[in-house]
Amino acid sequence: MTFPHHIKIVEVGPRDGLQNEKQSIPTAVKIDFINQLSETGLSVIETTSFVSPKWIPQLADAAEVFQGIQKKANVNYPVLVPNLKGLEAALEAGVKEIAVFTTPSEEFSQRNMNCSVTESLHQIAEVVEAAKKKRLKIRAYLSCVLGCPYEGKILPEKVGELGEILLRMGCYEISLGDTIGVGTPPKIKRLLEVVCRHVPLKYIAVHFHDTYGQALVNIYSALEFGVNVIDSSVSGLGGCPYAKGASGNVATEDVVHLLHGMGIDTGVDLKKLIAAGKFISKQLGRLPQSKVNLALGEMVT
């Protein structure tokens, strides 16, 4: 089996992870957290989301956070943008890269975005066209690609068709999100086989949740397929709001440990990553949700 020689890790903890936290996190803490992540060797750190504070109060300080971090020349700092208003705010803050999102699930779209999938694509098209005029890079997320908490099973063909639409719009990368963590290796393989009929493999990233403890084996399955971009969240930040008590994002420390153990380069310093995970977990008043952080954390001062 031939695996990719290098894997790009997209760190989503500051956005996808912290947005689910109920306790208010000071802006200064978020800035310190992102600055620590910038020192780990990560090349992509999703910083925040320019969304209405009404929907996600935790990210109301998006502009302050983005403008307050110490940006390194070799690190990209994308932000999530839900609509044109969010794009305008992001541009005012000096953002250079954005992410857009939709889902193949009609019910999930209605409950999370208050619109149909088709309507969400229209909104994305407006954002993408405006962003391209400003020469921004644009990434896309597809949520619930393997299952929906409301609709149940999702057909891979629907995921592939949406991915193709987003790629044609101008998105440089399509991240496939197993939002409720129901994936297993055979499902991952089937999903990728179908999606790759619509979207070339080089444009695909995976975003797996660990709700049922399957994230790492699913990542291994994606690696076997040839995927070389993985989304993850330091310290496992971000619970799964659709499965009470369940864990959410796969922990970046665990992903890096797996990859390094396979001889795959990430460019990430695991010790510094563990330290960043310990820092934010302490701020949140709990232990890290990363198995590797818990095992090796005492060795990192």
Side-chain angles (χ1 to χ4, degrees):
M1 180 63 64
T2 301
F3 293 99
H5 297 295
H6 176 82
I7 294 295
K8 181 178 78 174
I9 293 179
V10 177
E11 173 59 50
V12 300
R15 193 279 301 176
D16 193 27
L18 295 185
Q19 73 177 12
N20 287 317
E21 294 296 331
K22 294 182 179 180
Q23 62 176 291
S24 179
I25 303 167
T27 301
V29 169
K30 296 175 186 175
I31 291 172
D32 192 357
F33 175 43
I34 295 168
N35 286 342
Q36 289 186 41
L37 290 172
S38 293
E39 297 297 328
T40 65
L42 287 162
S43 62
V44 185
I45 303 170
E46 190 176 56
T47 306
T48 186
S49 175
F50 284 80
V51 64
S52 170
K54 175 184 176 182
W55 299 111
I56 306 180
Q58 185 69 259
L59 303 183
D61 57 356
E64 291 85 352
V65 169
F66 186 83
Q67 294 178 327
I69 59 175
Q70 297 173 7
K71 301 175 184 67
K72 296 179 72 72
N74 59 341
V75 181
N76 292 329
Y77 299 92
V79 303
L80 195 69
V81 169
N83 49 39
L84 282 175
K85 185 175 181 179
L87 176 63
E88 291 170 2
L91 288 169
E92 288 180 8
V95 165
K96 302 299 183 184
E97 179 176 344
I98 65 168
V100 295
F101 61 96
T102 187
T103 173
S105 167
E106 286 291 345
E107 187 68 20
F108 192 85
S109 183
Q110 289 288 353
R111 295 201 184 201
N112 282 267
M113 295 177 278
N114 299 306
C115 65
S116 68
V117 174
T118 298
E119 289 169 336
S120 77
L121 288 173
H122 289 318
Q123 292 179 14
I124 289 173
E126 292 178 341
V127 170
V128 168
E129 285 306 307
K132 287 194 293 187
K133 290 178 181 178
K134 297 296 183 178
R135 298 184 178 180
L136 301 188
K137 292 181 64 179
I138 308 152
R139 192 175 196 249
Y141 286 104
L142 284 174
S143 302
C144 297
V145 298
L146 286 164
C148 170
Y150 314 115
E151 289 187 16
K153 185 178 179 180
I154 297 294
L155 295 177
E157 189 66 28
K158 294 177 67 176
V159 180
E161 291 171 354
L162 278 179
E164 183 175 355
I165 291 170
L166 292 166
L167 188 65
R168 288 181 175 178
M169 281 185 187
C171 298
Y172 77 89
E173 198 166 82
I174 312 299
S175 179
L176 306 178
D178 182 12
T179 309
I180 57 175
V182 294
T184 57
K187 292 180 181 178
I188 300 303
K189 182 180 178 181
R190 176 59 179 163
L191 173 70
L192 291 171
E193 285 175 346
V194 174
V195 172
C196 281
R197 296 173 192 165
H198 299 268
V199 179
L201 184 62
K202 65 181 180 179
Y203 299 114
I204 293 175
V206 293
H207 184 119
F208 295 149
H209 282 221
D210 204 31
T211 314
Y212 298 95
Q214 301 299 296
L216 287 182
V217 293
N218 289 341
I219 285 172
Y220 189 92
S221 183
L223 292 172
E224 286 183 315
F225 202 88
V227 170
N228 61 10
V229 183
I230 298 170
D231 295 1
S232 59
S233 178
V234 71
S235 193
L237 290 176
C240 181
Y242 313 105
K244 187 176 181 180
S247 57
N249 290 298
V250 64
T252 309
E253 300 97 315
D254 298 354
V255 174
V256 170
H257 181 75
L258 168 67
L259 296 174
H260 289 182
M262 295 171 65
I264 299 174
D265 175 56
T266 64
V268 177
D269 184 320
L270 183 56
K271 287 185 178 180
K272 290 182 178 180
L273 191 66
I274 287 172
K278 287 176 62 179
F279 166 79
I280 193 62
S281 296
K282 183 178 180 180
Q283 299 297 320
L284 295 172
R286 61 169 181 258
L287 291 172
Q289 298 302 299
S290 157
K291 299 291 195 300
V292 169
N293 204 315
L294 292 173
L296 302 178
E298 293 302 318
M299 300 170 61
V300 178
T301 58

